[in-house]
């Protein structure tokens, strides 16, 4: 096909290193086809999928089953996380070269994966290959319960209780002691960035992620969105949000934490409504819009959504438009203005917290490994065209 790229920007395919595609076990919310189609429409050509599926990706058998189930559905490339449990320490280490990373939940969220006791945390940190990414969900269990029991009023306070930093402090201390690499998922507060910065000064090999949700929304949006704005970690104060932008140089990756739930599930009473919002389709457009406002450069986007994820997750064939790497390419129109709508969301649950937002920056064409896969609103590839990534 002949494409006219006049006025368009050429970018490498985005890598979303934090999605929850619900396959297997939650395919009424999302499956690997709908999730990867949403990715494609958002200029994301590689996704790394979290292990809190049902069953969780916490054993060799569950990993093999999941890979077999998703392979015929994917339309972008993918890697999987392995989920840490209290008892799968040896198995996790044995499977390290088959996964993008291990995910360790120090605070509970959707699903059952959780490791809070010192001995298994320490053993995972010391046994999992030290150069391989270990990603922690560092929310403190106590404070989560506190937030949950009190509902939105309490967690909308300007600052979380001090105990919310305990999980992160523990993770940093154990990473220091064991000398391993560590990647902190969804940092949201100024205090977390301070702790990470201080740890780095001491030589701890820690990197960190922020989500577009926390870069673009605050507790004010939570009031407006109700349960649809409920997420772990919660939306924070505008003061914390501005701190994320102010300390943007500390942030290594932007991952969406794309966590779809159906309207039916979200419309339950607050206590019962699950946490999470979609994000994989809107990340690049929102970041391009922020670039158009002068908040960051396009290079800074590519650094955090392509270059750093490739390094941290040791992706072998991916590159930022580099010679010898997969031709994962996105053409965007940085000038095109439009409104984000729920109708445009390809995720099965069909909603976005950004509906009604007018932005500038549109994904026009997407190539995955050289094949034109998305063209101006149309998905051109068949289920199963996506491949598992390889690791260095
Ligand atoms: O809000 C969240 N939802 N936070 C998480 O950590 C998990 C996610 C989900 O899977 O629903
Ligand atoms: Zn998490
Ligand atoms: Zn997540």
């Amino acid at each position: 096909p002949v494409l006219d790229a006049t006025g368009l920007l050429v970018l490498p395919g985005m890598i979303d290193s934090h999605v929850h595609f619900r396959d297997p076990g939650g395919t009424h919310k999302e499956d690997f086809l709908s999730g990867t189609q949403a990715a494609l429409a958002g200029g994301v050509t590689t996704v790394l999928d979290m292990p809190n599926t049902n069953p969780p990706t916490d054993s060799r058998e569950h990993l093999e089953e999941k890979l077999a189930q998703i392979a015929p559905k994917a339309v972008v490339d993918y890697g999987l996380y392995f989920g840490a449990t209290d008892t799968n320490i040896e198995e996790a280490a044995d499977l390290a070269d088959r996964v993008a990373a291990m995910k360790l939940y120090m605070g509970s969220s959707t699903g059952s994966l959780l490791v809070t006791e010192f001995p298994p945390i320490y053993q995972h940190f010391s046994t999992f290959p030290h150069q391989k990414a270990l990603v922690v969900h560092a929310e403190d269990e106590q404070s989560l319960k506190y937030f949950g029991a009190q509902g939105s009023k309490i967690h909308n306070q300007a600052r979380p209780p001090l105990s919310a930093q305990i999980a992160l402090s523990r993770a940093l201390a154990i990473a220091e002691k064991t000398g391993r690499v560590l990647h902190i998922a969804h940092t949201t507060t100024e205090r977390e960035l301070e702790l990470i910065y201080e740890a780095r000064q001491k030589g701890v090999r820690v990197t960190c992620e922020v989500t577009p949700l926390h870069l673009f929304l605050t507790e004010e949006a939570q009031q407006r969105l109700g349960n649809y704005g409920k997420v772990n970690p919660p939306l924070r104060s505008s003061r914390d949000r501005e701190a994320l932008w102010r300390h943007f140089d500390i942030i290594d990756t932007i991952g969406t934490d794309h966590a779809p739930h159906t309207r039916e599930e979200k419309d339950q009473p607050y206590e019962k409504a699950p946490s999470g919002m979609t994000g994989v389709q809107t990340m690049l457009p929102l970041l391009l819009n922020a670039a158009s406002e002068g908040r960051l450069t396009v290079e800074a986007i590519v650094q955090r959504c392509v270059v750093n994820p490739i390094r941290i997750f040791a992706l072998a064939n991916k590159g930022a438009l580099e010679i010898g790497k997969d031709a994962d390419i996105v053409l965007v129109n940085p000038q095109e203005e439009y409104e984000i709508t729920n109708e445009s969301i390809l995720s099965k649950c069909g909603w976005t917290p950004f509906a009604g937002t007018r932005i500038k920056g549109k994904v026009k064409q997407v190539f995955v490994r050289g094949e034109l896969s998305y063209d101006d609103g149309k998905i051109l590839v068949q289920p199963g065209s996506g491949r598992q990534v390889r690791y260095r």
Side-chain angles (χ1 to χ4, degrees), residues 23 71 88 170 173 242 249 252 264 268 307 315 349 381:
D23 206 342
N88 67 2
R170 287 175 87 197
E242 285 316 310
D249 55 332
D252 299 284
E264 235 173 14
Q268 297 174 99
V307 176
L315 306 181
C349 69
V381 283

Side-chain angles (χ1 to χ4, degrees), residues 18 20 103 105 109 137 185-186 232-233 257:
H18 191 156
H20 298 266
K103 175 74 179 279
Y105 285 86
S109 195
H137 178 119
H186 42 53
N232 295 327
D257 203 0

Side-chain angles (χ1 to χ4, degrees), residues 25-86:
T27 52
H28 64 290
K29 298 175 196 273
E30 193 82 288
D31 63 24
F32 231 80
L33 176 59
S34 59
T36 53
Q37 286 177 333
L40 206 46
V44 171
T45 52
T46 302
V47 293
L48 303 182
D49 188 59
M50 284 292 170
N52 62 334
T53 42
N54 190 10
T57 318
D58 59 359
S59 67
R60 183 181 295 275
E61 192 189 348
H62 289 163
L63 176 66
E64 300 297 351
E65 280 171 10
K66 181 169 179 175
L67 284 168
Q69 178 157 329
I70 65 178
K73 302 182 189 175
V75 295
V76 302
D77 290 355
Y78 54 90
L80 298 184
Y81 280 83
F82 190 80
T85 69
D86 284 344

Side-chain angles (χ1 to χ4, degrees), residues 94-109:
D94 286 347
L95 292 166
D97 55 9
R98 309 231 17 228
V99 295
M102 175 160 67
K103 175 74 179 279
L104 193 149
Y105 285 86
M106 295 176 82
S108 47
S109 195

Side-chain angles (χ1 to χ4, degrees), residues 142-176:
Q142 273 324 107
S143 73
L144 264 184
K145 278 183 191 134
Y146 176 65
F147 290 142
Q150 302 297 321
S152 58
K153 279 224 177 61
I154 291 292
H155 91 223
N156 280 337
Q157 69 189 30
R159 294 229 143 198
L162 204 57
S163 58
Q165 318 300 341
I166 289 176
L168 176 58
S169 302
R170 287 175 87 197
L172 291 171
I174 302 172
E176 182 177 12

